[in-house]
């Protein structure tokens, strides 16, 4: 059985004090949740404060991005060891906004995954097609290339630390969610591809989150599906009540 994982990606939102206020509320709201991994991904500037705030709670910390070198003259970058040092367990890698606005390629994503795994971080690796690609019937081709180029070549132990987030770009921040069936279809396909690049047993253990306009109203319908193991939540993760409602979704 794969343990569900629900992560809030705050993107470039919240000052440190806003982040601390948020997490104080969230801690109380989700204190009774035992069977789900709950993750928040604040901005780099808020990581330290949030790390202190969630100590001893059931909430875990993620970076929103990372660089592949461990130190040196890379102005503006943050290394895996720095994320680890500040208390991160997870790191989001290859988010479509990074790919779209900062030129991140599958090759760079793979380098970031490697460096993060070497530091013991658990990567959340994002894949997903653009609207034109879906409309041109290329969803599976695009996702297959992303899965292979980002994830091929890792050992069993490494694969066990990786979570994949399927985020169709057309559904991110648009209010347009993929239907649960559309999501399940791609998740099943990703798992099948993972089976080819590793083996069936390993791919059965890999968690695949859905991301793209997830909210308290659609999470239950998504989570019903056998290959949907959680969610990566943007907009709805910014308020404690909506994020906690996503985390405490009704099981059907
Ligand atoms: P959204 O963002 O929930 O606001 O669509 C999801 C994401 O980008 O991870």
């Amino acid at each position: 059985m794969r343990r569900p994982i629900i992560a809030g990606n705050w993107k470039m939102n919240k000052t440190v004090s806003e982040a601390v206020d948020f997490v104080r509320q969230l801690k109380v709201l989700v204190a009774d949740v035992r069977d789900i991994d709950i993750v928040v991904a604040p901005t780099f500037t808020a990581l330290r404060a949030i790390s202190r705030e969630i100590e001893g709670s059931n909430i875990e910390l993620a970076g929103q991005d990372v660089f592949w070198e461990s130190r040196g003259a890379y102005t503006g970058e943050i290394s895996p060891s720095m994320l680890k040092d500040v208390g991160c367990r997870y790191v989001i890698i290859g988010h479509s906004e990074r790919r779209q606005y900062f030129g991140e390629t599958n090759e760079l994503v793979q380098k970031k995954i490697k460096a993060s795994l070497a530091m013991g971080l658990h990567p959340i690796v994002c894949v997903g097609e653009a609207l034109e690609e879906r409309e041109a019937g290329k969803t599976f081709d695009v996702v297959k290339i992303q899965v292979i180029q980002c994830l091929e070549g890792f050992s069993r132990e490494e694969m066990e630390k990786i979570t994949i987030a399927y985020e169709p770009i057309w559904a991110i921040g648009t209010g347009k969610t993929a239907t649960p069936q559309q999501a399940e279809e791609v998740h099943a396909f990703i798992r099948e591809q993972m089976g080819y690049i590793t083996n069936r047993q390993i791919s059965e253990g890999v968690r695949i989150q859905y991301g793209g306009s997830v909210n308290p109203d659609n999470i239950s319908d998504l989570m019903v599906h056998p290959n949907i193991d959680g969610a990566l939540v943007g907009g709805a993760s910014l308020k404690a009540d909506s994020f906690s409602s996503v985390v405490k979704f009704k099981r059907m």
Side-chain angles (χ1 to χ4, degrees), residues 6 12 25 46 48 59 75 79 107 139 157 181 197 200:
I6 297 190
M12 200 175 71
Q25 294 172 46
R48 185 86 203 122
I59 302 171
T75 302
S79 73
E107 193 192 346
T139 298
E157 291 68 36
Q181 292 71 20
I197 63 174
R200 175 95 200 265

Side-chain angles (χ1 to χ4, degrees), residues 131-218:
L131 182 60
E132 316 79 75
E133 292 165 338
R134 176 159 283 263
E135 286 175 347
K138 291 189 186 148
T139 298
F140 293 104
D141 295 340
V142 170
V143 170
K144 180 177 175 174
I145 291 170
Q146 289 174 330
V147 167
I148 293 174
Q149 295 187 348
C150 297
L151 292 166
E152 202 166 34
F154 292 108
S155 69
R156 178 194 194 98
E157 291 68 36
E158 289 174 322
M159 285 293 185
E160 283 169 357
K161 293 203 172 78
I162 293 173
T163 296
I164 299 173
Y166 168 58
E167 300 205 302
I169 298 170
W170 48 273
I172 296 178
T174 57
K176 257 198 221 168
T177 336
T179 64
Q181 292 71 20
Q182 282 174 323
E184 169 63 18
E185 193 183 32
V186 181
H187 283 226
F189 176 77
I190 291 172
R191 197 174 304 290
E192 190 188 345
Q193 298 307 310
M194 289 300 287
Y196 296 140
I197 63 174
T198 57
N199 65 48
R200 175 95 200 265
Q201 205 193 355
I202 298 175
S203 79
E204 281 301 318
V206 172
R207 297 188 290 185
I208 308 175
Q209 298 175 299
Y210 169 77
S213 300
V214 172
N215 62 45
D217 297 328
N218 58 28

